[in-house]
Amino acid sequence: MTKDEPTDAILAKARAGGRISPGEALAIYKSADFLKVMDAGRAVRERRLGASVATYTLFRIVNYTNACTAGCAFCGFHRPPGDAGAWTLTPEEVLGKMRAAAALGARQLFLQGGVNPGIPFDYYLRVLGAVKDEFGADMHIRAFSPSEIRGMEAQTGKDARAVVRELKSAGMDSVAGAGAEILSDRVRRELSPNKVTVAEWVRIMEACFEEGLSGSANIVVGSIETPEEVVEHLGVIRDLQDRAGGLLAFIPWTFQRQTDGFPLRRVPAREYLKLVGLCRLFLDNVPHIEASVLGMGREVGELALYAGADDISSVVIEENVLASRGLGTEGEARAFIRDSGFQPVRRDLLYRMQGRPAPPHPPDAHC
Ligand code: SF4
């Protein structure tokens, strides 16, 4: 039996469906017992989504270029444009990778690259069009982070909504809310000063949602961020979702070692699990919370399903940015979920469950 704590009343409010403030979220993150936060996160997940099912999906990541001007300190994938190690796939090469992935059962493409000003805007339209011409509406294309879309704005002189409208009519189905890391300008100035600012990230995601795309977003902890900045990030996400909707899922991630000299901090399991619980409690308007099995490993990933997460993120067929230690096949994903005590259900990037009717809108969502 754990002793009563001042944060117990906040957790009880969140369990009952009350919205917690950023100040209350900070109190939970800084001082609540992590087991109590997990328990509250699990209770809210069960109330909103049920207790029996955990989902997964299968998609192919294609990194279409590694040339990037952003130069984020944590990224070992990119090369400066013009570097001998920089490359860009042709639309035909992207298509070839998708044919191989489709043969393994993938019907979803995650298209992501660096910010490469050497690529003409027409290239993106041709890549999207080539995949759609071959696979039709059967292939869902999630593509482009706000940083990449800002690069397209600079190149075309068009605003984000006009750029997204063209991408959407060429075949883009949803947006990759990647590149958020920590939505605090203090952290971004330190780790990724050439990447989109917080205001730019929000502006471009909002433009995507206004144009009818949905997507996901993440947070990446394990560096110089403070608890206050973690809560600041969650507040940016919740406010964006209140205004524009569009986010189907939120994924708490941890930085992984990719470069020398990056101020990497090991995230203890209890900190990650508390963060998962807090995300479930604070983001009352985001339907799904995904556990990072890829980043935290299977044991912590399993426990995250008992802290408020309802999805194990994904079976990724290729990921150049981060070497995989996740789940390599659909069979492994299903066995992992079953061994964790849940019924595995495959979903797509729009969270439509295979063999099931569309999921109900969560009763206490604010969007
Ligand atoms: S993380 Fe993305 S935006 Fe940053 S340097 Fe790497 S490829 Fe470029």
Side-chain angles (χ1 to χ4, degrees):
M1 191 78 178
T2 50
K3 63 178 173 35
D4 287 348
E5 296 173 331
T7 47
D8 286 354
I10 306 171
L11 293 173
K13 178 168 90 168
R15 283 178 98 110
R19 174 166 274 202
I20 59 175
S21 69
E24 290 171 327
L26 185 60
I28 289 175
Y29 198 46
K30 284 176 98 163
S31 55
D33 181 319
F34 85 99
L35 290 171
K36 289 183 179 179
V37 181
M38 284 181 71
D39 194 49
R42 180 188 177 190
V44 171
R45 173 247 218 263
E46 289 187 7
R47 174 165 50 75
R48 294 182 63 180
L49 300 164
S52 60
V53 164
T55 54
Y56 67 96
T57 193
L58 178 71
F59 62 79
R60 171 130 203 193
I61 289 185
V62 174
N63 298 120
Y64 59 88
T65 184
N66 72 341
C68 185
T69 53
C72 305
F74 45 81
C75 176
F77 165 70
H78 77 281
R79 294 288 178 275
D83 185 272
W87 48 260
T88 299
L89 300 181
T90 65
E92 293 69 32
E93 287 171 323
V94 173
L95 196 53
K97 285 175 178 282
M98 282 321 295
R99 285 189 186 122
L104 295 173
R107 289 292 176 273
Q108 304 179 113
L109 164 62
F110 203 116
L111 193 60
Q112 205 169 17
V115 180
N116 183 352
I119 295 179
F121 184 58
D122 177 60
Y123 167 91
Y124 304 105
L125 306 180
R126 285 191 290 122
V127 169
L128 293 166
V131 174
K132 286 293 181 182
D133 281 351
E134 174 118 354
F135 298 99
D138 201 30
M139 185 66 74
H140 182 104
I141 305 178
R142 174 161 293 184
F144 311 130
S145 66
S147 296
E148 289 159 273
I149 294 174
R150 188 190 62 168
M152 297 176 205
E153 285 183 302
Q155 193 172 55
T156 61
K158 297 174 181 172
D159 67 14
R161 286 193 67 165
V163 166
V164 170
R165 220 172 289 135
E166 288 191 53
L167 295 172
K168 189 180 170 193
S169 54
M172 178 177 170
D173 293 302
S174 62
V175 62
E181 285 91 34
I182 292 288
L183 291 170
S184 154
D185 283 328
R186 200 268 320 171
V187 176
R188 299 178 84 75
R189 274 194 298 275
E190 294 285 321
L191 302 184
S192 50
N194 300 321
K195 218 167 186 174
V196 283
T197 62
V198 175
E200 287 173 323
W201 190 91
V202 169
R203 173 179 67 77
I204 292 171
M205 289 298 282
E206 204 159 344
C208 291
F209 297 156
E210 284 166 353
E211 289 301 320
L213 298 177
S214 59
S216 60
N218 57 25
I219 184 170
V220 190
V221 298
S223 181
I224 60 170
E225 79 285 347
T226 63
E228 286 77 5
E229 287 160 341
V230 169
V231 172
E232 181 184 343
H233 180 115
L234 297 182
V236 169
I237 296 292
R238 192 170 75 176
D239 290 349
L240 167 66
Q241 183 76 339
D242 274 347
R243 280 196 312 280
L247 287 174
L248 295 174
F250 186 77
I251 311 118
W253 277 77
T254 50
F255 282 110
Q256 307 294 311
R257 168 69 66 201
Q258 293 185 46
T259 57
D260 294 334
F262 177 69
L264 189 71
R265 176 178 64 83
R266 187 185 80 84
V267 176
R270 68 181 185 287
E271 179 185 329
Y272 180 75
L273 294 168
K274 185 192 260 193
L275 176 62
V276 170
L278 180 63
C279 291
R280 174 57 81 191
L281 300 178
F282 187 79
L283 298 176
D284 55 359
N285 53 1
V286 177
H288 300 281
I289 303 295
E290 298 181 15
S292 173
V293 177
L294 185 66
M296 289 300 293
R298 296 183 185 211
E299 287 74 18
V300 178
E302 175 177 339
L303 289 173
L305 293 174
Y306 290 90
D310 59 291
D311 184 275
I312 60 164
S313 233
S314 307
V315 179
V316 177
I317 295 178
E318 176 189 300
E319 166 64 288
N320 282 328
V321 174
L322 183 67
S324 172
R325 61 169 170 150
L327 300 157
T329 66
E330 180 167 18
E332 272 185 61
R334 294 186 71 85
F336 171 80
I337 290 174
R338 211 175 289 113
D339 292 348
S340 300
F342 296 87
Q343 178 195 344
V345 173
R346 181 167 165 173
R347 50 109 181 153
D348 65 14
L349 288 173
L350 298 178
Y351 268 89
R352 294 173 301 200
M353 316 268 174
Q354 199 171 61
R356 291 176 168 236
H361 197 62
D364 53 355
H366 292 258
C367 54

